[in-house]
Amino acid sequence: IVLSAELTEAWVRESRVARRGADPASLLPPGALAPLQAFLHGCEGGKLVVRPSFRGTDPAATYAGLFTTVGDVDPLTFHGLAAAVLRVADSAESNPVHDYRRRMRQVATIHRSVVLQRQIDADVAGVAQSRGLDGRADSILIDFAKRRAPTMTVSYDLIDGAVLAVAPDTPLDATPSWMNRLAALVVALDSELGGTVLVHFAVDPRLAYMTTRLALNGTQFLPFNQGSAPGQLSCGEGNAPNAAGY
């Protein structure tokens, strides 16, 4: 579920002036509590990831890796959820963000939307964006994390398979095999839909799932599995073999 920039700003503002111990749910704007509770109810038994979806007016300012993401949030503890949202929102005012804005000569306000997602304990999970740092259709920006490791941001060039570490700027030991398949899918969706797309994904050595649309409990994660080993079927959850490639 996405907390819009307007909703996030209102919740943060009310939380700042509320008396100590106030119920965070009571500080939400009218009409926001019911859909949020429905989403949280659907996440019982699991954990949430609270992550930023911030943007400015200048598309050249990507802010890659500068904002905070909070994991292991209990969906049944509203105080913990509110604290995670505030922590994510406050990361827009961190010193690294201010330094980056000065270098990029950014003066416009950052719109602070916040995304709440079910936490998927896959080997690797993240989000990929088409038309990456330089706006080229064959360049993909990928935020990902390996289990509990910190999030990494890389720029992937689909033409030559080159990976540029963006944040932190530590090169990868090797390019994961899933990255080329993910980049190819993102480019195909960009071409099909005629604009920039975001693909949320979770992968492990055997399975891959992704979606381009978060829709509360109705979110549909689609399989993107190879489904076979050379010469034989070995994974019933996968897509049928394709003689032409992926």
Side-chain angles (χ1 to χ4, degrees):
I1 187 172
V2 178
L3 308 183
S4 69
E6 294 77 12
L7 191 157
T8 300
E9 297 296 341
W11 201 9
V12 168
R13 183 173 59 251
E14 291 299 318
S15 298
R16 296 274 187 255
V17 300
R19 68 183 187 283
R20 187 170 183 175
D23 180 8
S26 68
L27 306 177
L28 283 165
L33 182 58
L36 180 56
Q37 284 181 323
F39 170 76
L40 297 176
H41 179 73
C43 296
E44 282 188 53
K47 297 290 186 179
L48 295 178
V49 173
V50 181
R51 65 174 181 82
S53 181
F54 300 169
R55 62 179 176 83
T57 55
D58 184 356
T62 61
Y63 298 96
L66 292 178
F67 301 125
T68 297
T69 294
V70 181
D72 292 321
V73 178
D74 186 348
L76 301 184
T77 306
F78 227 100
H79 281 279
L81 173 63
V85 171
L86 286 173
R87 183 179 167 192
V88 171
D90 285 346
S91 68
E93 302 299 331
S94 68
N95 288 332
V97 171
H98 285 306
D99 291 342
Y100 178 81
R101 285 170 65 79
R102 280 194 293 270
R103 291 199 306 272
M104 296 294 292
R105 299 180 180 178
Q106 297 293 300
V107 295
T109 300
I110 297 176
H111 298 279
R112 301 183 292 182
S113 300
V114 175
V115 177
L116 312 182
Q117 290 179 291
R118 292 181 185 86
Q119 184 166 295
I120 301 174
D121 289 324
D123 278 7
V124 179
V127 61
Q129 174 188 321
S130 66
R131 310 193 187 204
L133 294 176
D134 52 10
R136 288 170 34 216
D138 54 12
S139 177
I140 310 300
L141 197 64
I142 304 174
D143 289 337
F144 69 97
K146 297 180 179 180
R147 291 194 178 272
R148 303 299 185 195
T151 299
M152 293 189 64
T153 302
V154 300
S155 178
Y156 184 87
D157 189 314
L158 190 63
I159 299 300
D160 56 17
V163 177
L164 171 66
V166 177
D169 58 359
T170 304
L172 298 177
D173 293 333
T175 302
S177 59
W178 56 263
M179 198 170 282
N180 185 67
R181 285 183 284 154
L182 174 66
L185 173 70
V186 173
V187 168
L189 288 172
D190 180 283
S191 176
E192 180 72 20
L193 299 176
T196 303
V197 298
L198 290 176
V199 174
H200 305 268
F201 65 90
V203 300
D204 65 22
R206 191 172 64 94
L207 300 174
Y209 286 93
M210 53 196 62
T211 184
T212 57
R213 182 173 181 268
L214 299 177
L216 297 177
N217 295 337
T219 301
Q220 296 294 316
F221 280 91
L222 305 175
F224 189 60
N225 311 313
Q226 280 188 300
S228 65
Q232 63 179 4
L233 289 174
S234 62
C235 175
E237 298 93 337
N239 297 314
N242 179 6
Y246 291 118

PDB file of all heavy atoms in Angstrom, residues 129-152:
ATOM      1  N   GLN A 129      13.793  -0.037 -11.932  1.00  0.00           N
ATOM      2  CA  GLN A 129      13.173   1.066 -12.673  1.00  0.00           C
ATOM      3  C   GLN A 129      13.785   1.153 -14.058  1.00  0.00           C
ATOM      4  O   GLN A 129      15.011   1.145 -14.214  1.00  0.00           O
ATOM      5  CB  GLN A 129      13.390   2.385 -11.930  1.00  0.00           C
ATOM      6  CG  GLN A 129      12.911   3.619 -12.709  1.00  0.00           C
ATOM      7  CD  GLN A 129      13.318   4.911 -12.043  1.00  0.00           C
ATOM      8  OE1 GLN A 129      13.284   5.028 -10.834  1.00  0.00           O
ATOM      9  NE2 GLN A 129      13.733   5.890 -12.838  1.00  0.00           N
ATOM     10  N   SER A 130      12.919   1.238 -15.073  1.00  0.00           N
ATOM     11  CA  SER A 130      13.429   1.410 -16.434  1.00  0.00           C
ATOM     12  C   SER A 130      13.922   2.843 -16.620  1.00  0.00           C
ATOM     13  O   SER A 130      13.606   3.740 -15.843  1.00  0.00           O
ATOM     14  CB  SER A 130      12.338   1.087 -17.461  1.00  0.00           C
ATOM     15  OG  SER A 130      11.271   2.018 -17.386  1.00  0.00           O
ATOM     16  N   ARG A 131      14.718   3.044 -17.685  1.00  0.00           N
ATOM     17  CA  ARG A 131      15.266   4.374 -18.013  1.00  0.00           C
ATOM     18  C   ARG A 131      15.997   4.939 -16.799  1.00  0.00           C
ATOM     19  O   ARG A 131      15.543   5.877 -16.158  1.00  0.00           O
ATOM     20  CB  ARG A 131      14.173   5.307 -18.494  1.00  0.00           C
ATOM     21  CG  ARG A 131      13.330   4.673 -19.584  1.00  0.00           C
ATOM     22  CD  ARG A 131      12.448   5.645 -20.311  1.00  0.00           C
ATOM     23  NE  ARG A 131      11.563   4.939 -21.226  1.00  0.00           N
ATOM     24  CZ  ARG A 131      11.006   5.464 -22.296  1.00  0.00           C
ATOM     25  NH1 ARG A 131      11.259   6.717 -22.607  1.00  0.00           N
ATOM     26  NH2 ARG A 131      10.215   4.758 -23.064  1.00  0.00           N
ATOM     27  N   GLY A 132      17.127   4.338 -16.492  1.00  0.00           N
ATOM     28  CA  GLY A 132      17.856   4.619 -15.266  1.00  0.00           C
ATOM     29  C   GLY A 132      18.521   5.968 -15.199  1.00  0.00           C
ATOM     30  O   GLY A 132      17.952   6.984 -15.599  1.00  0.00           O
ATOM     31  N   LEU A 133      19.784   5.997 -14.739  1.00  0.00           N
ATOM     32  CA  LEU A 133      20.440   7.253 -14.411  1.00  0.00           C
ATOM     33  C   LEU A 133      20.504   8.227 -15.570  1.00  0.00           C
ATOM     34  O   LEU A 133      20.368   9.430 -15.395  1.00  0.00           O
ATOM     35  CB  LEU A 133      21.864   6.971 -13.903  1.00  0.00           C
ATOM     36  CG  LEU A 133      21.964   6.210 -12.572  1.00  0.00           C
ATOM     37  CD1 LEU A 133      23.422   5.933 -12.252  1.00  0.00           C
ATOM     38  CD2 LEU A 133      21.324   7.006 -11.459  1.00  0.00           C
ATOM     39  N   ASP A 134      20.725   7.706 -16.781  1.00  0.00           N
ATOM     40  CA  ASP A 134      20.885   8.603 -17.927  1.00  0.00           C
ATOM     41  C   ASP A 134      19.656   8.650 -18.821  1.00  0.00           C
ATOM     42  O   ASP A 134      19.689   9.256 -19.897  1.00  0.00           O
ATOM     43  CB  ASP A 134      22.110   8.194 -18.759  1.00  0.00           C
ATOM     44  CG  ASP A 134      22.096   6.719 -19.134  1.00  0.00           C
ATOM     45  OD1 ASP A 134      21.044   6.076 -18.917  1.00  0.00           O
ATOM     46  OD2 ASP A 134      23.116   6.212 -19.631  1.00  0.00           O
ATOM     47  N   GLY A 135      18.561   8.003 -18.423  1.00  0.00           N
ATOM     48  CA  GLY A 135      17.323   8.067 -19.191  1.00  0.00           C
ATOM     49  C   GLY A 135      17.278   7.168 -20.409  1.00  0.00           C
ATOM     50  O   GLY A 135      16.305   7.193 -21.154  1.00  0.00           O
ATOM     51  N   ARG A 136      18.328   6.337 -20.629  1.00  0.00           N
ATOM     52  CA  ARG A 136      18.326   5.446 -21.790  1.00  0.00           C
ATOM     53  C   ARG A 136      17.387   4.278 -21.560  1.00  0.00           C
ATOM     54  O   ARG A 136      17.250   3.762 -20.457  1.00  0.00           O
ATOM     55  CB  ARG A 136      19.734   4.915 -22.048  1.00  0.00           C
ATOM     56  CG  ARG A 136      20.699   5.931 -22.600  1.00  0.00           C
ATOM     57  CD  ARG A 136      22.127   5.407 -22.598  1.00  0.00           C
ATOM     58  NE  ARG A 136      22.208   3.983 -22.850  1.00  0.00           N
ATOM     59  CZ  ARG A 136      23.107   3.188 -22.252  1.00  0.00           C
ATOM     60  NH1 ARG A 136      23.930   3.682 -21.350  1.00  0.00           N
ATOM     61  NH2 ARG A 136      23.141   1.902 -22.542  1.00  0.00           N
ATOM     62  N   ALA A 137      16.749   3.826 -22.643  1.00  0.00           N
ATOM     63  CA  ALA A 137      15.792   2.726 -22.539  1.00  0.00           C
ATOM     64  C   ALA A 137      16.460   1.411 -22.185  1.00  0.00           C
ATOM     65  O   ALA A 137      15.808   0.504 -21.665  1.00  0.00           O
ATOM     66  CB  ALA A 137      15.021   2.582 -23.857  1.00  0.00           C
ATOM     67  N   ASP A 138      17.761   1.260 -22.462  1.00  0.00           N
ATOM     68  CA  ASP A 138      18.450   0.005 -22.167  1.00  0.00           C
ATOM     69  C   ASP A 138      19.276   0.083 -20.877  1.00  0.00           C
ATOM     70  O   ASP A 138      20.140  -0.733 -20.623  1.00  0.00           O
ATOM     71  CB  ASP A 138      19.358  -0.405 -23.331  1.00  0.00           C
ATOM     72  CG  ASP A 138      20.333   0.689 -23.731  1.00  0.00           C
ATOM     73  OD1 ASP A 138      20.467   1.674 -22.984  1.00  0.00           O
ATOM     74  OD2 ASP A 138      20.959   0.558 -24.797  1.00  0.00           O
ATOM     75  N   SER A 139      19.019   1.097 -20.052  1.00  0.00           N
ATOM     76  CA  SER A 139      19.703   1.256 -18.778  1.00  0.00           C
ATOM     77  C   SER A 139      18.690   1.116 -17.648  1.00  0.00           C
ATOM     78  O   SER A 139      17.650   1.770 -17.654  1.00  0.00           O
ATOM     79  CB  SER A 139      20.384   2.626 -18.710  1.00  0.00           C
ATOM     80  OG  SER A 139      20.988   2.828 -17.456  1.00  0.00           O
ATOM     81  N   ILE A 140      18.971   0.241 -16.678  1.00  0.00           N
ATOM     82  CA  ILE A 140      18.030  -0.071 -15.615  1.00  0.00           C
ATOM     83  C   ILE A 140      18.648   0.302 -14.270  1.00  0.00           C
ATOM     84  O   ILE A 140      19.830   0.039 -14.020  1.00  0.00           O
ATOM     85  CB  ILE A 140      17.685  -1.581 -15.599  1.00  0.00           C
ATOM     86  CG1 ILE A 140      17.300  -2.057 -17.003  1.00  0.00           C
ATOM     87  CG2 ILE A 140      16.571  -1.879 -14.597  1.00  0.00           C
ATOM     88  CD1 ILE A 140      16.110  -1.369 -17.584  1.00  0.00           C
ATOM     89  N   LEU A 141      17.858   0.921 -13.394  1.00  0.00           N
ATOM     90  CA  LEU A 141      18.279   1.218 -12.036  1.00  0.00           C
ATOM     91  C   LEU A 141      17.649   0.182 -11.112  1.00  0.00           C
ATOM     92  O   LEU A 141      16.431  -0.014 -11.126  1.00  0.00           O
ATOM     93  CB  LEU A 141      17.842   2.622 -11.634  1.00  0.00           C
ATOM     94  CG  LEU A 141      18.530   3.254 -10.426  1.00  0.00           C
ATOM     95  CD1 LEU A 141      20.013   3.455 -10.694  1.00  0.00           C
ATOM     96  CD2 LEU A 141      17.871   4.574 -10.065  1.00  0.00           C
ATOM     97  N   ILE A 142      18.470  -0.521 -10.328  1.00  0.00           N
ATOM     98  CA  ILE A 142      17.983  -1.621  -9.492  1.00  0.00           C
ATOM     99  C   ILE A 142      18.395  -1.397  -8.043  1.00  0.00           C
ATOM    100  O   ILE A 142      19.584  -1.259  -7.747  1.00  0.00           O
ATOM    101  CB  ILE A 142      18.535  -2.980  -9.974  1.00  0.00           C
ATOM    102  CG1 ILE A 142      18.179  -3.222 -11.449  1.00  0.00           C
ATOM    103  CG2 ILE A 142      17.991  -4.112  -9.105  1.00  0.00           C
ATOM    104  CD1 ILE A 142      18.821  -4.469 -12.038  1.00  0.00           C
ATOM    105  N   ASP A 143      17.396  -1.332  -7.134  1.00  0.00           N
ATOM    106  CA  ASP A 143      17.633  -1.358  -5.690  1.00  0.00           C
ATOM    107  C   ASP A 143      17.362  -2.778  -5.218  1.00  0.00           C
ATOM    108  O   ASP A 143      16.279  -3.315  -5.476  1.00  0.00           O
ATOM    109  CB  ASP A 143      16.688  -0.410  -4.946  1.00  0.00           C
ATOM    110  CG  ASP A 143      17.007   1.054  -5.186  1.00  0.00           C
ATOM    111  OD1 ASP A 143      18.150   1.358  -5.542  1.00  0.00           O
ATOM    112  OD2 ASP A 143      16.103   1.887  -5.015  1.00  0.00           O
ATOM    113  N   PHE A 144      18.308  -3.396  -4.512  1.00  0.00           N
ATOM    114  CA  PHE A 144      18.066  -4.757  -4.046  1.00  0.00           C
ATOM    115  C   PHE A 144      18.836  -5.023  -2.758  1.00  0.00           C
ATOM    116  O   PHE A 144      19.799  -4.318  -2.423  1.00  0.00           O
ATOM    117  CB  PHE A 144      18.461  -5.782  -5.119  1.00  0.00           C
ATOM    118  CG  PHE A 144      19.940  -5.892  -5.371  1.00  0.00           C
ATOM    119  CD1 PHE A 144      20.699  -6.876  -4.756  1.00  0.00           C
ATOM    120  CD2 PHE A 144      20.571  -5.010  -6.237  1.00  0.00           C
ATOM    121  CE1 PHE A 144      22.061  -6.974  -4.990  1.00  0.00           C
ATOM    122  CE2 PHE A 144      21.939  -5.099  -6.472  1.00  0.00           C
ATOM    123  CZ  PHE A 144      22.683  -6.093  -5.856  1.00  0.00           C
ATOM    124  N   ALA A 145      18.373  -6.029  -2.037  1.00  0.00           N
ATOM    125  CA  ALA A 145      19.040  -6.444  -0.805  1.00  0.00           C
ATOM    126  C   ALA A 145      19.061  -7.957  -0.743  1.00  0.00           C
ATOM    127  O   ALA A 145      18.093  -8.618  -1.122  1.00  0.00           O
ATOM    128  CB  ALA A 145      18.331  -5.873   0.419  1.00  0.00           C
ATOM    129  N   LYS A 146      20.164  -8.511  -0.278  1.00  0.00           N
ATOM    130  CA  LYS A 146      20.294  -9.949  -0.082  1.00  0.00           C
ATOM    131  C   LYS A 146      19.931 -10.258   1.363  1.00  0.00           C
ATOM    132  O   LYS A 146      20.668  -9.905   2.286  1.00  0.00           O
ATOM    133  CB  LYS A 146      21.714 -10.408  -0.381  1.00  0.00           C
ATOM    134  CG  LYS A 146      22.145 -10.188  -1.826  1.00  0.00           C
ATOM    135  CD  LYS A 146      23.570 -10.662  -2.058  1.00  0.00           C
ATOM    136  CE  LYS A 146      23.977 -10.473  -3.503  1.00  0.00           C
ATOM    137  NZ  LYS A 146      25.371 -10.922  -3.750  1.00  0.00           N
ATOM    138  N   ARG A 147      18.772 -10.864   1.542  1.00  0.00           N
ATOM    139  CA  ARG A 147      18.253 -11.195   2.873  1.00  0.00           C
ATOM    140  C   ARG A 147      18.359  -9.983   3.791  1.00  0.00           C
ATOM    141  O   ARG A 147      17.759  -8.961   3.527  1.00  0.00           O
ATOM    142  CB  ARG A 147      18.952 -12.435   3.419  1.00  0.00           C
ATOM    143  CG  ARG A 147      18.561 -13.706   2.650  1.00  0.00           C
ATOM    144  CD  ARG A 147      18.962 -14.958   3.370  1.00  0.00           C
ATOM    145  NE  ARG A 147      18.520 -16.144   2.631  1.00  0.00           N
ATOM    146  CZ  ARG A 147      17.328 -16.714   2.791  1.00  0.00           C
ATOM    147  NH1 ARG A 147      16.480 -16.217   3.669  1.00  0.00           N
ATOM    148  NH2 ARG A 147      16.986 -17.782   2.080  1.00  0.00           N
ATOM    149  N   ARG A 148      19.140 -10.059   4.855  1.00  0.00           N
ATOM    150  CA  ARG A 148      19.182  -8.959   5.830  1.00  0.00           C
ATOM    151  C   ARG A 148      20.312  -7.969   5.558  1.00  0.00           C
ATOM    152  O   ARG A 148      20.584  -7.088   6.371  1.00  0.00           O
ATOM    153  CB  ARG A 148      19.341  -9.521   7.241  1.00  0.00           C
ATOM    154  CG  ARG A 148      18.251 -10.493   7.643  1.00  0.00           C
ATOM    155  CD  ARG A 148      16.903  -9.838   7.633  1.00  0.00           C
ATOM    156  NE  ARG A 148      15.868 -10.735   8.127  1.00  0.00           N
ATOM    157  CZ  ARG A 148      14.591 -10.534   7.972  1.00  0.00           C
ATOM    158  NH1 ARG A 148      14.189  -9.475   7.328  1.00  0.00           N
ATOM    159  NH2 ARG A 148      13.703 -11.375   8.439  1.00  0.00           N
ATOM    160  N   ALA A 149      20.981  -8.095   4.433  1.00  0.00           N
ATOM    161  CA  ALA A 149      22.086  -7.195   4.117  1.00  0.00           C
ATOM    162  C   ALA A 149      21.542  -5.809   3.739  1.00  0.00           C
ATOM    163  O   ALA A 149      20.380  -5.667   3.358  1.00  0.00           O
ATOM    164  CB  ALA A 149      22.912  -7.761   2.969  1.00  0.00           C
ATOM    165  N   PRO A 150      22.370  -4.756   3.848  1.00  0.00           N
ATOM    166  CA  PRO A 150      21.932  -3.418   3.458  1.00  0.00           C
ATOM    167  C   PRO A 150      21.548  -3.360   1.977  1.00  0.00           C
ATOM    168  O   PRO A 150      22.057  -4.129   1.153  1.00  0.00           O
ATOM    169  CB  PRO A 150      23.162  -2.547   3.740  1.00  0.00           C
ATOM    170  CG  PRO A 150      23.964  -3.319   4.741  1.00  0.00           C
ATOM    171  CD  PRO A 150      23.728  -4.760   4.416  1.00  0.00           C
ATOM    172  N   THR A 151      20.659  -2.434   1.651  1.00  0.00           N
ATOM    173  CA  THR A 151      20.222  -2.253   0.267  1.00  0.00           C
ATOM    174  C   THR A 151      21.358  -1.710  -0.589  1.00  0.00           C
ATOM    175  O   THR A 151      22.129  -0.845  -0.159  1.00  0.00           O
ATOM    176  CB  THR A 151      19.030  -1.286   0.209  1.00  0.00           C
ATOM    177  OG1 THR A 151      17.944  -1.838   0.961  1.00  0.00           O
ATOM    178  CG2 THR A 151      18.577  -1.053  -1.230  1.00  0.00           C
ATOM    179  N   MET A 152      21.479  -2.249  -1.803  1.00  0.00           N
ATOM    180  CA  MET A 152      22.441  -1.752  -2.779  1.00  0.00           C
ATOM    181  C   MET A 152      21.680  -1.173  -3.972  1.00  0.00           C
ATOM    182  O   MET A 152      20.586  -1.632  -4.299  1.00  0.00           O
ATOM    183  CB  MET A 152      23.360  -2.867  -3.267  1.00  0.00           C
ATOM    184  CG  MET A 152      24.307  -3.418  -2.239  1.00  0.00           C
ATOM    185  SD  MET A 152      25.519  -4.548  -3.000  1.00  0.00           S
ATOM    186  CE  MET A 152      26.418  -3.411  -4.089  1.00  0.00           C
TER     187      MET A 152
END
